[in-house]
Amino acid sequence: MKNIIFIAPPAAGKGTQSDLLVKKYGYNHISTGDLLREEVRKQSEIGVEIDNLMKSGQLVSDDIVSNLLKTALESSQGPFILDGYPRDVKQISILNNILNDINKSVDLVIQLDVNYDILVRRVTGRLSCPKCSRSYHRDNLKPKVEWVCDDCGSSLISRTDDNEETFKNRYKTYLDNMEPILDYYNNLDMVKVIEDKRSDVNEVFEEIEKVIL
Ligand code: AMP
């Protein structure tokens, strides 16, 4: 099973697809956004520092993110999915150094391509589980019981950064930073593009399965 980096705009479905890969193939889903939100939730020293940055859609400092990432990669067993990292060119070399240190590597970069209007619709209707991070949608991906996570029974929330204004910022940051990252991995011939034209979770998952095995 290949170690993967997911590259996609916010709310493109990385989390949902990762959940499916975790359940079916035993992947470790390492999301830097989730690692940071966990610090905010625990109100750790860095959690307090990064709360406002995250609320406004700005990037958190490399020191903080790379420390959390290294710990998560070191302790993961089996194949991993990196979600939310790297987000700019500097983070590519940080990642390469971390992987080198711990004798692991990335085999494949999956770029999920989703139209802007679909993304806005998703982000403004998204419900998230603060405990296990599973995502739902108010209209087309509802939990079995309203506002309750199917997997762990926690109360669902609407994330503070899941509003249209913050989304515009996050999307712009994504576009500004994505191109050189994709250039880097394209030069290594590591990128597979998967288009989500119809907002169909299962269809996208089938396409992903074709490239990870
Ligand atoms: P995400 O859940 O990936 O959309 O990330 C949510 C927020 O966490 C981002 O808007 C950033 O504030 C922060 N974040 C996540 N990953 C990174 C990263 N690799 N570098 C810096 N900040 C990050």
Side-chain angles (χ1 to χ4, degrees):
M1 209 71 57
K2 292 178 178 160
N3 290 330
I4 307 167
I5 295 178
F6 258 137
I7 293 190
K14 286 178 303 217
T16 304
Q17 294 299 333
S18 297
D19 282 349
L20 295 172
L21 288 168
V22 169
K23 283 181 186 141
K24 187 158 177 186
Y25 296 105
Y27 267 94
N28 291 279
H29 177 211
I30 301 176
S31 150
T32 45
D34 286 349
L35 294 173
L36 291 164
R37 276 185 288 279
E38 177 62 12
E39 295 302 311
V40 173
R41 200 186 58 78
K42 287 192 298 198
Q43 296 198 297
S44 68
E45 208 175 311
I46 52 172
V48 173
E49 193 183 323
I50 62 185
D51 194 16
N52 283 332
L53 281 177
M54 290 183 75
K55 275 185 189 144
S56 62
Q58 295 176 68
L59 292 184
V60 175
S61 78
D62 283 332
D63 274 359
I64 290 177
V65 184
S66 60
N67 281 330
L68 291 171
L69 177 66
K70 185 167 188 190
T71 308
L73 277 169
E74 259 171 342
S75 57
S76 78
Q77 306 278 335
F80 62 80
I81 304 160
L82 266 188
D83 167 358
Y85 203 97
R87 258 180 158 88
D88 58 27
V89 168
K90 205 166 10 103
Q91 292 187 356
I92 295 178
S93 47
I94 298 174
L95 174 63
N96 287 342
N97 289 337
I98 293 176
L99 291 170
N100 220 12
D101 281 354
I102 61 174
N103 250 323
K104 292 187 179 175
S105 60
V106 167
D107 308 304
L108 175 70
V109 176
I110 295 179
Q111 183 192 356
L112 285 183
D113 196 3
V114 188
N115 162 293
Y116 182 83
D117 293 337
I118 293 182
L119 292 174
V120 171
R121 241 179 292 137
R122 274 197 203 154
V123 94
T124 51
R126 177 154 70 178
L127 303 173
S128 307
C129 177
K131 186 144 178 253
C132 73
S133 304
R134 184 162 169 190
S135 290
Y136 301 84
H137 192 280
R138 285 194 177 91
D139 304 326
N140 54 21
L141 200 60
K142 294 181 185 172
K144 291 188 187 114
V145 179
E146 220 181 336
W147 291 97
V148 177
C149 179
D150 291 352
D151 281 353
C152 72
S154 302
S155 297
L156 300 178
I157 55 159
S158 176
R159 269 169 44 182
T160 48
D161 56 354
D162 275 349
N163 58 72
E164 193 166 348
E165 210 38 51
T166 302
F167 177 75
K168 272 192 208 150
N169 267 333
R170 291 163 69 203
Y171 190 72
K172 184 176 178 311
T173 308
Y174 168 77
L175 287 184
D176 289 347
N177 294 325
M178 179 198 64
E179 208 181 305
I181 293 176
L182 287 171
D183 282 352
Y184 174 87
Y185 288 113
N186 267 316
N187 279 334
L188 298 173
D189 208 13
M190 287 172 67
V191 183
K192 291 269 185 254
V193 180
I194 292 182
E195 266 187 89
D196 183 2
K197 291 190 200 120
R198 297 190 302 172
S199 205
D200 185 324
V201 171
N202 294 325
E203 211 171 85
V204 172
F205 187 60
E206 280 169 22
E207 291 302 309
I208 291 176
E209 284 183 298
K210 286 184 197 157
V211 297
I212 58 159
L213 298 172

